Structure formats: structure tokens, C-alpha cells
Amino acid sequence: MVQTPPFRETELRRFVAAHLDLIEPGMTLVAEEYPLQNQHGSGGFVDILARDASGDLVVIELKRSDQSARQALHELEKYVALLTADRGIRVDRMRCILLSTEWRELLVPFARFVKHVDFYVVGRRLVIGSDRRPVASEVVELPTLTTGLETCPFQLHLLYETREQRDEFARVIPDALERISVEDFITFNLDLGVPEDHVLYPHGTALVLATFSEAMRDHIRSLFPELCDDEPASLWWHEQVVQSEVVAAGETGESRVLLPSDSEAYAKWELSGLVGHGRYADSVVWPEAQLKAVVEADGEALSASFRRTVAVANRPAWQRMRRTLDGLVEGCGGWPDSIAALLDELEFRPNAQLSITAYAPADILRSLEAIVRYRSPAYMPQVLIEWRDGPRHGVIGGRLTWDGTTRVRTLQETVGAIFEDFSDYVFASSVGATREYETQMVGLHGLHYDLVESSGNDDDIAPQPLSRVSLINGELVRTPLSSDEPEANDFIAAHQDYLALLVAAFEASTARR
């Protein structure tokens, strides 16, 4: 139990200032209650300003209760900012020590604080002796904070003949995972909306696992050494090991592992019974709508269609959006570099807000087949970025254009330019390995990944014309857009026979479930 010192914080500060060896040998006093203030109104007094044996400044903030300790984080940030801005001290030539007799309420926020600040700071507990005076200090051991949940993209689907079978074995999944100590996951049910004779198992239950921590991966290795001794480099191998155990417990008629982007496989199925477990179980922060967004990977690269609204000033959200969008458009011609350059420009608008919608599977054959099969342009690769910064606003659009030249005569000739045959292509498509060939495959069809842009002000009388955007020698170049340029829809209209053969090839392959 921590003993409370017999004197007030002022007296405690004076005692520590006179005995800095309690903190660190070789530390010397510079000032007590060192005043800091600037023209913006921010100011305060550093409890103890010291200098270490290396000559660097040490800001020591002293607290003696939970209530006052919670204020210390704000004060440390303020003092470092003022020492940097008004005294010219670089953060690499100063460090901070938070010294407190009580750490119960402070441990968790301080652990997060240490991870995110751009200066060195350490927490020390002031040890009180039997005479109720400080006798030493010790470095505080901070808790390990888990991060927010990421989701394993491989979703397990267990299918059954009857609803009763499904409901019975759906109850088995949490029990099976509890035995393995897996806590964070989502389950839901699937039912075929309209019965179809060729569907043998019209009822299903599904499992979505949170991505495992390294500690959890070690646990899985200890439970299943025979499966993990020679484990592949796959990021989600251990989640797949757990899925195999669930399949064994579920006595399923059929099991499938799908990605969120495989939504067309269940286009005619009804989703219900979403249940969160572990950290997903709190229905206040994880209502059913949010669980459904997790299942559909809403706002993530593996979603059927990427959607995200983000402010430039929200740095964590902005940086994640950029990483996700960069991965999403990888392989799509000039899109990755040009979109990155356009977003770099928007970073100079810190008050701007963006809404992004993108669909870029980087698999032009599958996209063309889906467009024809479902008679929907929704499967056309596309990017739409709408931004606003006060009265200024703009639109960036990514689309496929056609150069008007027919280069494809037969499907075999097209596929054979890159793959051994259509089956070889189907395998590459099924494992998501078409991105490295996408620019070449699109070019064989005379298609191109194109970007256009328009921007203006609210008081503009007429809308601004679209310009084509290209990245040339590292510089963004904008050129006027002609209104009569052929688009991907013109390619589709001109190649109906070719596309009919493409649909037939998919139907005859294992690509179509």
C-alpha cells in the first residue's frame, strides 16, 4: 500500500528538488516552478527543471494523488511545446519524468500517452519510507494495451440442409472457440431467400474472426504444433487453423471460406442473427449495424465496394484511408501514383473533408463477365473522390476508357498472352493474383485506367469542365477532356460475341460456384 507523504505537494516538490538523486544519479537542479508562457495564452510552471549528466534538460512533473496526476499529461504536453516554441529546445535534447506517489488511475492513460507523444517520457513511482518521507523512486511498469480490432478477411461459412440443423450447430461454434480461448468474433446466419433445386444446403451459419495478436498466435502454435511447425508466411494462417477446428465440430454438409468481396456468391441469401462475442459483445458500441459493417468490411480494402468519409485533419483516419486506397488500386494502371499525388495536394487543405467510393478488383475479365451476367455497370472499376474545403469543392473520378481499337479476337488469344489457359487464369483470379497482370490485360482490350477532375467554388455560375489528370515525370498534368472519347461501355457494346464467350467460359469453369 502506498503511504501518503505528510506534507503538501509544494513541500514534496521542495524535498525532491533537494534530493534529485532519488530520481537519477548525476541530475542537477536548474529551477523550481520554472515559468513558461507565450502570446497565445498558454502557460504554467514546471515543477522541477533539471539537467542530467549528459547536459539535457529534464522536465519533472510531480503529483501526489490520482486526481492531480490526471492533469499531468496535459501539462507535460504544454511544457514541451512551450520549451520548443519559446526557448528553442529540440525534443531530442530534453526528456520528461512524471513522478507520482499514486498510479492507479494514471497507468492506462499514461501507457497510451507514452506511445503517441514525440518526446521521451517515463513514469516513476515515488517510494515513501516508514517515516513517511520519500526514500527512492522506481520506474513504473506500464500495462500492455491491446489495439482496436482488425478482422480476418477469410470468413467461414458452414452450410446445412435444414434450418434446424443449422440452428443446432450454430450453438456449437462459441463452445468450440471457448475451448481454444478465442474470444473476439462475430457469428451470423444465412438463408437462401428463394429455394433453388440445385442448392443442396440452403441454410448456413458464418464465423468472422478478429485478427489474432502475436500472443494468441503463440497460443495456437502450442495447441496445434503439428499444423504450425512448418506454417506458411500467410498473415492469417492461425485463424485458418482455428476455422478448421470449427469445421470439425460443426458437422457441416458443406463449408466455404469466402472474402467480403465475394458478396455475389450470396447475393440471393438473407443475412440475420448477427451476434458479437468478446469485445464485439457490447451492443452500445457494436450495434447490429456496426457488426454488419465489419462483416461486409465496410471502408476496408477487401469490401465489395470501398466507401469512406474522412477529414484531412483526422490524421489516423486519413492515413488509414490512404493505405487502404493505395492497396485497393494497386495494379490498376496509372491510378495508384496519380491518386496518391492528388491526395498529396489535398493534404495542403487541412480543413477539407472527403467522401471516397471505389471498386477496383484489378481483374478485368471477371469485371466484364459480371457486367454482362448481371447487366449492371456496378462491376465496372471506378473511383469517385468528392472533396469540400469551405466554399471550394472538387471531384476526382477514376474510370475505364477505350481507345477505340479492337485488339481481341478470341478469348483464348487474350488469356494466352499472359496465362497458360483459362483454368490457369481462373486459379490466379481465385487467389487474388491478377493485380500484377492487370495493366497488361486491360491493355490487350484497348482499355485504360483513366482519371478526370473538376473543381470550383460555390459561387461559380457554371460548373467547371472536366480535365484529364496524368502523372508525368512526377508532376500532375491536367489536359482538357474531349466529350467524344470512347468509354468502356462502348467497348462492351462493340464486343457482345466476345463477352458471351467470356460468360460461357466462366460457367464452364470452377470459378462460378
Side-chain angles (χ1 to χ4, degrees), residues 282-348:
D282 189 335
S283 61
V284 175
V285 296
W286 290 108
E288 186 170 298
Q290 290 302 116
L291 294 178
K292 188 171 185 288
V294 172
V295 169
E296 295 175 348
D298 185 33
E300 304 293 341
L302 289 169
S303 60
S305 181
F306 174 79
R307 292 181 179 86
R308 193 78 169 92
T309 297
V310 61
V312 174
N314 185 342
R315 301 308 296 173
W318 174 261
Q319 291 166 2
R320 184 181 179 100
M321 178 278 292
R322 292 206 58 170
R323 290 194 303 270
T324 302
L325 187 58
D326 185 60
L328 184 69
V329 300
E330 181 184 356
C332 297
W335 277 6
D337 292 338
S338 296
I339 289 174
L342 287 164
L343 293 178
D344 286 344
E345 284 190 343
L346 288 172
E347 287 209 19
F348 289 98

Side-chain angles (χ1 to χ4, degrees), residues 391-393 454-466:
R392 291 288 296 172
H393 55 83
S454 176
S455 61
N457 285 295
D458 285 344
D459 56 2
D460 288 340
I461 298 176
Q464 297 298 309
L466 288 171

Side-chain angles (χ1 to χ4, degrees), residues 164-211:
E164 291 73 24
Q165 288 176 325
R166 188 273 311 284
D167 292 345
E168 176 184 353
F169 289 110
R171 291 189 288 269
V172 171
I173 293 179
D175 294 338
L177 293 174
E178 183 178 358
R179 290 193 294 272
I180 308 174
S181 300
V182 174
E183 299 178 346
D184 301 320
F185 59 94
I186 299 170
T187 55
F188 61 94
N189 294 331
L190 289 162
D191 296 284
L192 187 63
V194 178
E196 297 181 6
D197 292 339
H198 68 280
V199 178
L200 300 178
Y201 305 105
H203 306 283
T205 188
L207 168 67
V208 180
L209 293 169
T211 299

